[in-house]
Amino acid sequence: MKRRDFVTALGIGAGAAALSACGKKEPEDCTQQGTGEQTASKEVIHWKMVTTWPKNFPGLGTAPERFAKNVAKMSNGRLQIKVHGAGELVPALEAFSAVSAGTAQIGHGAAYYWKGKEPAAQFFAAVPFGLNAQEMNSWIHYGGGQQLWDEAYEQFNLKPFAGGNTGVQMAGWFRKKINSLEDLKGLKMRIPGLGGEVLKKLGGVPVNIPGGELFTALQTGTIDATEWVGPYNDLAFGLYKAAKYYYYPGWHEPGTTLEVIVNKKALQELPEDLQAIVEQAIRASNQDMLDEYTARNNQALNTLVNEHKVELLKLPEDVLKQLHAVSNEVVQEVANTNEMTKKVYESFTKFAEQSRAYHMISEQAFYETRTL
């Protein structure tokens, strides 16, 4: 065989092998390299993401969708994440177990939903009368919170991240007015996490049900009250049609951190650049959600009050004082559950004390000047 024919034969063989490899993937997984004489395959990794929210629900449901799109764009299509709303792949409150087991590689929810699996998880979502959104982000990212969160989820093969924040929430929707602590006794209310434990201690009945079931439960009287998030989401669910009284402030959730949980094995199997893309896309989503809620809540509250004539009320001061006192008791009790909760509690409270001391002369002092 002549040298020229031999080289040509090699080229054809290499091209055929590359085309064969491409045939095992989607057409867009194959890219031309160099001058086009060689064809190389670009591996595309597919992940499933499960959430605790209704598909594309404003804010909570759209944030995972934006995250998935950002990952696809940042990775040049190499990592594709399909987002499943609550109930599509697994029930809403089974997202944690699904990601832990590897049924899905990644999930989006709120850490207080998993208090039955790890009591310390609640501290990474919301603590009554605790840290606001700015402080939660600071504690997690720069105050030692992330390391403790990692430790708490290690046993579940999960890597947690702060994946969004709603800011200060509303106290909730009530079918009757709250004039004293007596009105909380026997009250069936959808309220998760530590806030639910506080209500229970005051004689109420906390109920933990997925967001998609709230309207029907409130409308039919299955529950007497519900907290959800705030005006933006509450308007979307039409909760004003099921209860007349809308109370503030959200004592139970002063800065609710949403979480992204990633199966550790799946994350570690990614190339290093894709791992970095996932982490940075989550970090961006965390801030983006807070920005969205801060903007949208303003508009939605105006609609609720001025168009739907919702009765906006502040919880009585004596009720708030009692809620605060009981909250301190409940948080302390949870802190004594095990060594993990104790460590998280100590870190959280130390950071809170330092943050409050500074905010007395910064954030809080500034807010007071705006009312002069």
Side-chain angles (χ1 to χ4, degrees), residues 19 34 126 142 154 169 232 244 254-255 258 267 278 282 284 289 310 316 322 325 344 351:
L19 287 171
Y142 291 99
E154 176 69 31
Q169 296 196 4
Y232 180 36
K244 183 178 180 180
L258 287 310
L267 184 63
V278 169
I282 293 172
M289 182 186 287
V310 165
Q322 286 299 314
V344 174
F351 188 88

Side-chain angles (χ1 to χ4, degrees), residues 175-186:
R175 291 162 61 93
K176 67 176 184 178
K177 284 189 176 181
I178 303 300
N179 296 312
S180 68
L181 285 178
E182 286 298 313
D183 294 319
L184 297 180
K185 291 182 179 179

Side-chain angles (χ1 to χ4, degrees), residues 147-296:
Q147 291 80 1
L148 290 169
W149 205 357
D150 290 343
E151 184 178 345
Y153 280 25
E154 176 69 31
Q155 60 183 311
F156 303 106
N157 188 37
L158 293 172
K159 168 67 176 174
F161 297 93
N165 201 299
T166 64
V168 181
Q169 296 196 4
M170 294 290 287
W173 297 86
F174 295 76
R175 291 162 61 93
K176 67 176 184 178
K177 284 189 176 181
I178 303 300
N179 296 312
S180 68
L181 285 178
E182 286 298 313
D183 294 319
L184 297 180
K185 291 182 179 179
L187 186 80
K188 291 179 293 182
M189 181 176 182
R190 184 272 180 189
I191 178 170
L194 294 166
E197 295 302 314
V198 173
L199 178 66
K200 184 177 180 180
K201 195 154 190 169
L202 288 170
V205 182
V207 180
N208 190 15
I209 59 177
E213 301 174 17
L214 292 184
F215 179 81
T216 301
L218 188 60
Q219 186 182 50
T220 59
T222 301
I223 54 177
D224 306 308
T226 183
E227 64 80 44
W228 179 227
V229 180
Y232 180 36
N233 283 161
D234 296 356
L235 176 62
F237 266 157
L239 296 178
Y240 63 91
K241 300 175 185 177
K244 183 178 180 180
Y245 307 110
Y246 198 26
Y247 277 93
Y248 71 95
W251 59 273
H252 60 304
E253 298 193 35
T256 309
T257 297
L258 287 310
E259 69 174 4
V260 173
I261 45 176
V262 187
N263 181 279
K264 286 187 68 175
K265 184 173 183 294
L267 184 63
Q268 292 166 356
E269 287 177 348
L270 290 179
E272 288 188 4
D273 64 326
L274 291 186
Q275 290 185 38
I277 285 172
V278 169
E279 293 184 13
Q280 290 307 309
I282 293 172
R283 188 71 173 259
S285 293
N286 185 55
Q287 183 62 49
D288 184 63
M289 182 186 287
L290 180 59
D291 297 346
E292 180 180 9
Y293 273 92
T294 302
R296 304 294 184 231

Side-chain angles (χ1 to χ4, degrees), residues 96 110-128 130-131 136 139-140 148-149 152-153 156 191-198 206 208 252-259 327 330-338 340-341 344-345 348:
F96 186 96
Y112 50 37
Y113 289 150
W114 331 125
K115 66 178 184 179
K117 298 179 182 296
E118 173 50 70
Q122 300 171 91
F123 286 93
F124 300 101
V127 173
L131 303 180
M136 282 292 289
W139 173 58
I140 290 170
L148 290 169
W149 205 357
Y153 280 25
F156 303 106
I191 178 170
L194 294 166
E197 295 302 314
V198 173
N208 190 15
H252 60 304
E253 298 193 35
T256 309
T257 297
L258 287 310
E259 69 174 4
S327 293
V330 167
V331 172
Q332 184 63 64
E333 289 170 2
V334 173
N336 294 327
T337 303
N338 56 42
M340 190 72 246
T341 55
V344 174
Y345 169 79
F348 185 96

